[in-house]
Amino acid sequence: MISPQINEVAPGKIFTASIILNNPTDQEVEFIDRLELPSGWSRISPPEAPFPIPAQSERVRLVALSVPVTAPAGRVEISYLVRNRTNPEQGDALKLRLLVQTVSDVELRVDSAPESVIAGEDISAQLSVINHGNVTVKASLQSQGDPTCVLMFSPALIGLAPGQSQTVKVLGKTNAKTTKRARLSFTASLVESAGLKNLANRAICVEVLP
């Protein structure tokens, strides 16, 4: 059998490879094949059914695999095994060597926030942090906005494996001495722990009534 070289593949995409099988015998042989896949990967083709190869002939098998969105970045080896259906001791195997690309995709979502509060009341909101990428995210939540009201996050430090999500509670105390209607605007930012890269931002606006 002939295996392709290392191929890059993106999470959430389809990987394909052509494998050449050879029957060197003087008789037609019926074969069965098997793919050993990582968790979450799925076989699209070829069909899981016996197939013949005529004597002294070759046959191309097109392998198509569905790569999960959360497939971890890095090298992956997939074993392809083929056996004589009536004589399993006759067969061969190879490894498909893939490199899963790194994808960083983090969503910061406002699930709930009040439109207005009475002066002196708490601003209580809820956020969701969702890791749609295939690398672990370690980040902190920070707030920028009106200095008269500081937003606190619980938890403030986020660690999410691929596919995981985290609910975050947001709390801020308004000034009870406010005598005029005011609109407070904040930006909640998710900042990567290493490198201080800004991963996502969301605005929160609340009207304070005297």
Side-chain angles (χ1 to χ4, degrees):
M1 292 192 291
I2 299 176
S3 171
Q5 300 297 315
I6 295 177
N7 289 280
E8 285 195 6
V9 61
K13 302 297 183 180
I14 304 299
F15 168 76
T16 60
S18 295
I19 299 176
I20 301 175
L21 304 179
N22 177 43
N23 175 15
T25 71
D26 295 328
Q27 296 181 342
E28 180 177 278
V29 176
E30 191 171 61
F31 291 93
I32 54 175
D33 62 6
R34 180 165 57 92
L35 283 160
E36 295 181 348
L37 301 176
S39 176
W41 294 55
S42 59
R43 172 175 174 159
I44 299 174
S45 69
E48 296 188 68
F51 58 94
I53 300 180
Q56 302 291 329
S57 298
E58 291 182 343
R59 179 166 179 175
V60 177
R61 295 285 276 176
L62 178 64
V63 173
L65 307 175
S66 175
V67 184
V69 173
T70 55
R75 293 185 178 236
V76 175
E77 287 192 347
I78 294 172
S79 295
Y80 177 82
L81 305 95
V82 61
R83 294 287 182 266
N84 183 322
R85 185 168 180 264
T86 57
N87 185 4
E89 293 183 359
Q90 295 180 355
D92 203 351
L94 62 74
K95 290 186 181 296
L96 300 172
R97 294 177 172 86
L98 311 181
L99 181 63
V100 180
Q101 298 171 352
T102 298
V103 175
S104 179
D105 183 6
V106 185
E107 178 185 0
L108 179 60
R109 185 177 66 203
V110 179
D111 294 328
S112 63
E115 294 184 1
S116 62
V117 295
I118 303 298
E121 291 183 345
D122 290 340
I123 296 174
S124 180
Q126 180 174 296
L127 307 177
S128 287
V129 183
I130 308 165
N131 185 4
H132 296 295
N134 67 340
V135 291
T136 296
V137 172
K138 293 184 179 181
S140 61
L141 280 161
Q142 302 175 11
S143 171
Q144 295 179 341
D146 196 297
T148 64
C149 179
V150 178
L151 296 184
M152 305 297 291
F153 302 97
S154 179
L157 299 178
I158 304 294
L160 295 177
Q164 288 188 335
S165 61
Q166 173 73 60
T167 298
V168 178
K169 301 294 184 181
V170 185
L171 188 65
K173 185 72 173 179
T174 61
N175 187 353
K177 297 181 180 180
T178 298
T179 58
K180 294 182 179 180
R181 183 188 296 248
R183 187 166 184 80
L184 304 184
S185 296
F186 306 91
T187 299
S189 299
L190 187 68
V191 180
E192 189 179 36
S193 299
L196 300 181
K197 178 183 177 182
N198 196 321
L199 300 176
N201 297 300
R202 278 295 176 268
I204 301 175
C205 298
V206 179
E207 190 170 19
V208 178
L209 307 175

